[in-house]
């Protein structure tokens, strides 16, 4: 009996995910360097509790990778090629969205929720359409991983955990931004949805 009834996958999707992971990690390192290359202004506010919710998000994403990966489809089969294209599209979208978002944030980007004394309310780039595009990028990455690994069933647990961690991070981040920017943030939040432009 197979305790992890995951679907067989093809090499194109698996390879697209691995390449995407390398590029995504490089984009993350560039964002970190970009945020720290300027002289750091004093921290105005910080919500260290967001580390807990980062861990919850990480567990949600990690669950997607749990279980065996059966690279059993013929690499040239229609299913393997379609799967590879889907993973490449998801990963490309995730990387492009993360890179554009971190570039728009510049020195404001940080892993843990905080604002600096010289913090600015970013409303350009992807932030013109959604307030939390980086979390959308990570969600796309998670779906790409589920498809590439054949772990679609794992999304039943992974998505709710990721959503819980994301919602709690958003709650803390928005509280800091409202404290820092007041009515300006309220106006921005009234105009721009959190995750899906015009919907949610």
């Amino acid at each position: 009996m197979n305790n992890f009834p995951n679907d067989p996958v093809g090499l194109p999707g698996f390879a697209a995910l691995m390449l995407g992971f390398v590029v995504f990690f490089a984009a993350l390192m560039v964002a970190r360097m970009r945020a720290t290359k300027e002289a750091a202004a004093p921290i105005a506010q910080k919500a260290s509790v967001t580390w807990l919710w980062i861990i919850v998000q990480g567990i949600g994403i990690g669950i997607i990778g749990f279980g065996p990966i059966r690279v059993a489809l013929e690499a040239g089969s229609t299913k393997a090629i379609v799967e590879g294209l889907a993973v490449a599209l998801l990963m490309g979208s995730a990387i492009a969205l993360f890179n554009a978002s971190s570039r728009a944030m510049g020195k404001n980007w940080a892993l843990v929720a905080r604002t600096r004394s010289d913090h600015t309310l970013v409303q350009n780039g992807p932030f013109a359409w959604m307030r939390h595009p980086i979390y959308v990028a990570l969600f796309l990455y998670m779906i790409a991983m589920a498809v590439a690994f054949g772990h679609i069933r794992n999304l039943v647990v992974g998505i709710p955990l990721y959503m819980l961690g994301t919602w709690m991070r958003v709650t803390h981040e928005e509280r800091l931004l409202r404290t820092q920017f007041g009515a300006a943030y309220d106006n921005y939040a009234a105009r721009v949805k959190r995750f899906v432009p015009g919907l949610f």
Side-chain angles (χ1 to χ4, degrees):
M1 178 179 169
N2 186 357
N3 293 324
F4 301 98
N6 297 321
D7 300 319
V9 296
L11 189 58
F14 189 77
L17 184 77
M18 294 300 103
L19 176 61
F21 174 78
V22 171
V23 176
F24 197 101
F25 184 78
L28 180 65
M29 293 299 99
V30 169
R32 180 175 163 77
M33 288 187 295
R34 189 184 300 122
T36 57
K37 72 177 182 180
E38 298 182 31
I43 300 296
Q45 310 168 86
K46 188 172 183 179
S48 296
V49 71
T50 52
W51 272 114
L52 170 64
W53 304 113
I54 291 170
I55 291 168
V56 172
Q57 280 181 312
I59 291 171
I61 294 171
I63 282 172
I64 305 305
F66 186 76
I69 302 167
R70 296 188 293 140
V71 182
L73 297 178
E74 287 292 331
S77 68
T78 301
K79 185 175 181 182
I81 291 170
V82 169
E83 179 184 273
L85 290 172
V87 172
L89 179 62
L90 286 163
M91 285 301 294
S93 299
I95 292 164
L97 186 55
F98 175 82
N99 188 55
S101 301
S102 63
R103 286 178 67 86
M105 291 184 77
K107 64 186 179 183
N108 295 320
W109 185 83
L111 189 60
V112 177
R114 57 106 173 109
T115 56
R116 298 161 42 133
S117 59
D118 62 347
H119 210 90
T120 55
L121 180 56
V122 180
Q123 302 180 58
N124 61 309
F127 294 92
W129 303 301
M130 61 187 90
R131 299 195 323 255
H132 301 283
I134 290 177
Y135 298 142
V136 175
L138 289 174
F139 182 79
L140 293 174
Y141 175 87
M142 184 170 68
I143 301 300
M145 188 163 66
V147 174
F149 287 177
H151 293 178
I152 299 297
R153 294 170 186 86
N154 296 24
L155 291 171
V156 173
V157 177
I159 286 178
L161 278 173
Y162 178 78
M163 289 175 66
L164 173 63
T166 298
W167 190 258
M168 294 309 298
R169 288 187 73 180
V170 163
T171 300
H172 290 291
E173 289 169 10
E174 292 189 353
R175 186 179 301 129
L176 295 183
L177 291 169
R178 279 195 167 88
T179 300
Q180 184 102 346
F181 299 107
Y185 186 78
D186 288 334
N187 293 336
Y188 171 62
R191 189 177 72 255
V192 178
K193 299 295 184 183
R194 283 188 173 102
F195 306 112
V196 182
L199 294 175
F200 172 66

